[in-house]
Amino acid sequence: MLRKIGIQNFRVFKEFTEFEIKPLTLLIGPNNSGKSSFTKLLLLLKNGINELDFKIGDHNLEDFSKVLNWDLKEENLKVRFENSVQILSQIFFLDLYYYDGYCTKINICCGKDSPLISYELKRSSFVNGSNAYDGFQELKLDFKSIVNMIYDKDFVITDEELKLKDFVPKSDENQEVSNINLLNLQNQMDNHISDCLTSLELPSDQYMLYLRNIALNNEIDKLDRDYMPYKIFIGDKIISHTLSKRIIKALISFYDSGNYYNPQHGSIFNEFENELLNLDKNSKAFIFEYMGNLGFHDEVKVEHSSLGKILFSEKLFYATGTFTKIGIAAFGGSDVIDARDYYSRTYFQMFLTYNQKLIDAFKNVEYISANRGNQKRVLLNKGESQMDEIVVRFTENNFTNLDYIKKSLAIFEIDGEIEVERFQNYASVFYLVQNDKKIPISDLGFGYSQIVPIILKIVNSTGKIGELAFQLGAYSEAVFIIEEPEANLHPSLQSKIADFLLLTIQTFEGYRFIIETHSEYLIRKLQFLTAQKKLSTSDTVIYYFNDKKYVTEKEEKVKSIEINELGGLTDTFGPGFYDEATNLQFSLHKLNQSQNN
């Protein structure tokens, strides 16, 4: 999910600028102030985050050198994403650095700028203009901070899980947690879990998640805070405890100093994943070398400690969307469910989930351009506006969400029902049916032909996004970028765009909108709806883009403005927005006075 995105050295964003994407995110400001820079970046990243593809898409950007800020004179572009690692309560952020259109550095950070994990491509040149490269790569880890998250039990433990804790058998003192033991816990709990969850009023499809988190907490209670991921044997004698301080110091230095590897001419994300997954193997190799340097020449054997198993080997974490299936089976489903099939990742592998999360999130970015309306009676499959394509897609989806469409049209005072006639799978005629009379959409006026594509685009997206969400085991999420939804609308209808957006975010959970607008009426209505408590204060954020001539040390290029519970704004807009009508009225009054004199 796209929640926060930070940008530096991209078009107007000279300094690092962060945007929070709320259900309703408005971008306002004078023309040519850079409002579209943010949305253009999202559309560019929709093509892929490993390599910035300037050849396709709706971003209309030329090449990498042209998108860098002219004043900064730096060659690297930085993009930050807020992310999360499953079960960990802390929010992470991911910094991606781009050079010449390619991602060359990845930082995973948590609450501070110094990264937990850093992976950098020491690149000399790209090979044949592709995203393969020639050079060396460097992997660094803040190993101690990563392990502290385990020691500090920085897991998402809910009140519901704590209620269940007394019902969970503790693991044997000499038995370590594993995905196999979690299966045993499941088997032990199956006999009475239904009555237990019912009495505690807990959701049944989450009970395996509860058990896993509690089992992990019980296991962590048994760990010594020695940061030692390995047991080291010389022959049959274990010596790691006697040398633990020296070994850990050497290991931390090994992780922090940077390990260099030859690239395999793949994408930086694939190489990063390979090297992080090979970390355990490389660490063991270092241990063998280090023990030799200490003068131990007998046979050295290295095994995982309890901590090492949680870090590197035990698959205690699951891919998205599996627990519903486990829960169903546990309550009388016919399938035989083995928890080992669903716990498929280790702790370190969970740090790699960000890549697929971002790819999936950008797949669900939808763009509705200002050139969306069409007053032609006949719409071609590939016409000059978005309306042509949107109508074709709408017919392919078999006219879904008709009740939502009807409510949306009613908000804009459009009576009737939609009907589309197709001709030879090549063209369409779009009608509104009123009292058995077909009225072409082109006869309703250009303003209405600008609104209808927005409604249908949202409906069209529900099919694709909903199917993807089902596969991922999550509810539908999407980000819609809309340029000037108020275009060609009377002021009273501009204000009703706010009512339409309210209906949409209430109908489709997880839908978010980024709206470029100049409409004072839309903003005023959002203020009114917030004061009415129909919108929460956390539903809306406004980003005002100042004209360059007004940017000072005290006045930022982009400032965030929220709507408070009384409908007021937390900051002022720049010159020429709310005050323009007042200025003109005052000028007219002065002119009238001078003429009368």
Side-chain angles (χ1 to χ4, degrees), residues 183-194:
L183 177 64
N184 293 337
L185 277 177
Q186 176 189 348
N187 293 335
Q188 293 177 53
M189 294 293 289
D190 275 350
N191 294 329
H192 65 283
I193 190 69
S194 180

Side-chain angles (χ1 to χ4, degrees), residues 78-138:
K78 174 182 174 181
V79 184
R80 171 174 291 181
F81 299 97
E82 184 180 277
N83 216 307
S84 61
V85 175
Q86 194 184 90
I87 84 165
L88 292 179
S89 59
Q90 297 193 52
I91 296 297
F92 293 75
F93 57 87
L94 178 76
D95 285 342
L96 303 182
Y97 295 84
Y98 292 88
Y99 177 85
D100 198 24
Y102 299 88
C103 183
T104 57
K105 183 178 179 181
I106 303 169
N107 283 348
I108 297 177
C109 308
C110 179
K112 56 182 180 179
D113 287 333
S114 57
L116 290 174
I117 303 173
S118 178
Y119 187 71
E120 185 171 0
L121 173 62
K122 302 290 186 181
R123 169 182 78 42
S124 58
S125 63
F126 288 108
V127 178
N128 299 325
S130 70
N131 70 344
Y133 33 74
D134 179 25
F136 288 94
Q137 301 163 46
E138 181 184 58

Side-chain angles (χ1 to χ4, degrees), residues 101-230:
Y102 299 88
C103 183
T104 57
K105 183 178 179 181
I106 303 169
N107 283 348
I108 297 177
C109 308
C110 179
K112 56 182 180 179
D113 287 333
S114 57
L116 290 174
I117 303 173
S118 178
Y119 187 71
E120 185 171 0
L121 173 62
K122 302 290 186 181
R123 169 182 78 42
S124 58
S125 63
F126 288 108
V127 178
N128 299 325
S130 70
N131 70 344
Y133 33 74
D134 179 25
F136 288 94
Q137 301 163 46
E138 181 184 58
L139 174 66
K140 290 185 179 181
L141 292 98
D142 184 349
F143 183 76
K144 204 164 186 178
S145 293
I146 292 172
V147 175
N148 277 336
M149 292 179 184
I150 293 177
Y151 286 141
D152 296 339
K153 295 201 246 187
D154 191 15
F155 299 107
V156 180
I157 299 294
T158 65
D159 291 339
E160 286 78 8
E161 289 170 325
L162 293 177
K163 291 178 185 177
L164 190 61
K165 189 170 183 178
D166 292 337
F167 292 85
V168 179
K170 288 195 174 183
S171 57
D172 185 270
E173 190 66 29
N174 298 318
Q175 187 182 48
E176 295 174 342
V177 68
S178 69
N179 57 333
I180 297 176
N181 290 334
L182 288 173
L183 177 64
N184 293 337
L185 277 177
Q186 176 189 348
N187 293 335
Q188 293 177 53
M189 294 293 289
D190 275 350
N191 294 329
H192 65 283
I193 190 69
S194 180
D195 293 338
C196 169
L197 294 177
T198 300
S199 64
L200 294 175
E201 298 181 352
L202 303 179
S204 59
D205 63 345
Q206 295 292 306
Y207 91 99
M208 277 300 296
L209 178 61
Y210 300 156
L211 297 185
R212 194 283 312 280
N213 284 5
I214 293 169
L216 269 174
N217 271 254
N218 291 341
E219 183 64 25
I220 292 168
D221 286 338
K222 297 187 292 184
L223 294 177
D224 293 326
R225 207 177 184 101
D226 58 6
Y227 299 92
M228 177 63 80
Y230 302 106

